[in-house]
Amino acid sequence: SAILARAMGIPAVLSVSGAVEALHTGQCVAVDGFRGTVLPEPTPEQTAEFKRRQREYLAEREALSRYCNLPTVTKNGVKKAVYGNIGKPEDVQSVVQNGGEGIGLFRTEFLFMDRMSRPTEAEQFEAYATVAKAMNGREVIIRTLDIGGDKEIPYLEIEKEDNPFLGHRAIRYCLDHPDLFCDQIRAILRAAKFGDLKLMLPLITCKEEILAAKKLIEQCLRELIEAGEDVHPVPVGIMVETPAAALTAAELAKEADFFSIGTNDLTGYVMAVDRGNQAVARLYDPMQPAVLSAIEMTIKAAKAAGIPVGMCGEGAADPRLIPHLLAWGLDEFSVSASSILKTRKMISEE
């Protein structure tokens, strides 16, 4: 819900204790998505204050528009890139309008949600080709199906688990369901002729998972070539979002064409925190020393191996984190479309 609201520019506050009892249908409510507060029945004075802050926000957005068509360059002239995250093909227009230099994360699980059966290879091909064409030669990184955890898809009949975040999810599920995985891989490979597509594997914890996935990708490529399709190999990278991946980043870099750091899950796994649990939410922060160490370790391993490294978690737009990421040498910042211009401005001022 938070990801979708952010992508659509909708103010949202989640996990408000007692909200169902305190609020009722038709009530006037002031929602502050920045401070995380909800104010029922605001007084005229409070309403005026909210409207004043709303005007300030819109004025700031207008001022940021000058960064739309500028390159992303630091004060000392180092070229970086600010990409956009999307969940469905329609989202690409917002990335383009905000001057995104590419798509750093296409969350393909949204193609599988809110329907009664899984999308066909043809449906997926159409979605990936649409995004590739819209980006007009700019890089598009497509993450393979990342389901399980808090992303339930009933028709896939994923077994209920005591701890789904540590269970049969993401790349683990896909490797055990090669028919599902290969439908997606073939669709991506076929769509690659329309743009600069790259394939990214989620929740990697060891080299064997990369090798198993690459074996299936190579098999799909051979089958398509034998069938007369106009296809070619695409770069295969990984999400670094587990402590295991960060700790063995130097080894994984030998098998991956690029890294993308997923700070959302990485923070949760490193800090052993359920981000939906209010009682421990204070610990869910990418600025925790342990999380910073994992990020630094990953970036330095990528640099040593000579492969690109980006970040597609919410941390990529965090003003506290950006100076560290620049100092360590992060190449690409992938953020929600609404954060592209602000992120570019912050990078240009560092």
Side-chain angles (χ1 to χ4, degrees), residues 26-275:
Q27 187 175 26
C28 179
V29 178
V31 178
D32 186 339
F34 293 108
R35 297 177 182 174
T37 60
V38 178
L39 185 63
E41 301 292 359
T43 65
E45 293 77 14
Q46 290 169 329
T47 299
E49 173 62 15
F50 265 80
K51 288 186 178 296
R52 182 190 68 78
R53 290 179 52 210
Q54 184 183 53
R55 288 193 298 271
E56 286 181 356
Y57 168 74
L58 294 174
E60 179 188 358
R61 293 291 303 170
E62 180 63 28
L64 286 172
S65 64
R66 73 183 187 90
Y67 288 91
C68 187
N69 296 310
L70 295 179
T72 305
V73 184
T74 65
K75 264 186 176 179
N76 56 356
V78 179
K79 181 77 173 70
K80 300 293 178 182
V82 179
Y83 288 8
N85 298 332
I86 65 171
K88 50 189 185 297
E90 307 90 89
D91 296 342
V92 76
Q93 295 307 321
S94 184
V95 173
V96 172
Q97 290 164 8
N98 281 282
E101 294 160 275
I103 301 295
L105 172 62
F106 187 163
R107 295 182 170 97
T108 59
E109 58 270 19
F110 288 111
L111 299 178
F112 289 72
M113 294 177 172
D114 298 324
R115 52 186 295 152
M116 301 304 292
S117 61
R118 76 192 206 197
T120 63
E121 179 184 327
E123 287 176 301
Q124 292 189 66
F125 164 76
E126 187 63 35
Y128 307 143
T130 297
V131 172
K133 292 172 186 175
M135 292 308 293
N136 196 27
R138 285 168 284 184
E139 186 177 44
V140 176
I141 298 175
I142 301 176
R143 181 175 70 187
T144 60
L145 186 57
D146 184 7
I147 52 168
D150 58 352
K151 300 166 190 165
E152 292 187 21
I153 301 178
Y155 62 80
L156 291 181
E157 298 180 346
I158 300 172
E159 278 189 42
K160 291 289 182 183
E161 299 174 299
D162 290 338
N163 194 336
F165 280 97
L166 300 181
H168 199 213
R169 58 167 296 211
I171 194 64
R172 302 166 180 178
Y173 182 89
C174 287
L175 290 176
D176 287 339
H177 294 80
D179 58 328
L180 176 76
F181 191 48
C182 286
D183 272 357
Q184 182 170 44
I185 297 306
R186 284 192 296 268
I188 294 170
L189 291 172
R190 290 171 54 215
K193 64 184 176 184
F194 296 109
D196 181 12
L197 298 193
K198 292 178 170 58
L199 196 154
M200 182 162 67
L201 309 172
L203 204 76
I204 292 295
T205 57
C206 61
K207 182 174 69 174
E208 287 72 22
E209 289 169 333
I210 305 175
L211 294 175
K214 287 170 75 173
K215 186 176 180 180
L216 285 173
I217 294 165
E218 289 163 7
Q219 174 189 315
C220 291
L221 185 65
R222 282 196 307 271
E223 290 172 355
L224 289 170
I225 291 173
E226 289 168 4
E229 292 273 2
D230 176 20
V231 294
H232 55 80
V234 300
V236 178
I238 68 167
M239 290 275 287
V240 176
E241 52 186 339
T242 66
L247 288 167
T248 60
E251 281 300 307
L252 299 182
K254 297 174 184 176
E255 299 296 338
D257 293 316
F258 62 91
F259 282 167
S260 185
I261 302 169
T263 50
N264 300 350
D265 271 353
L266 183 62
T267 302
Y269 285 128
V270 167
M271 297 305 298
V273 167
D274 174 2
R275 62 185 172 189

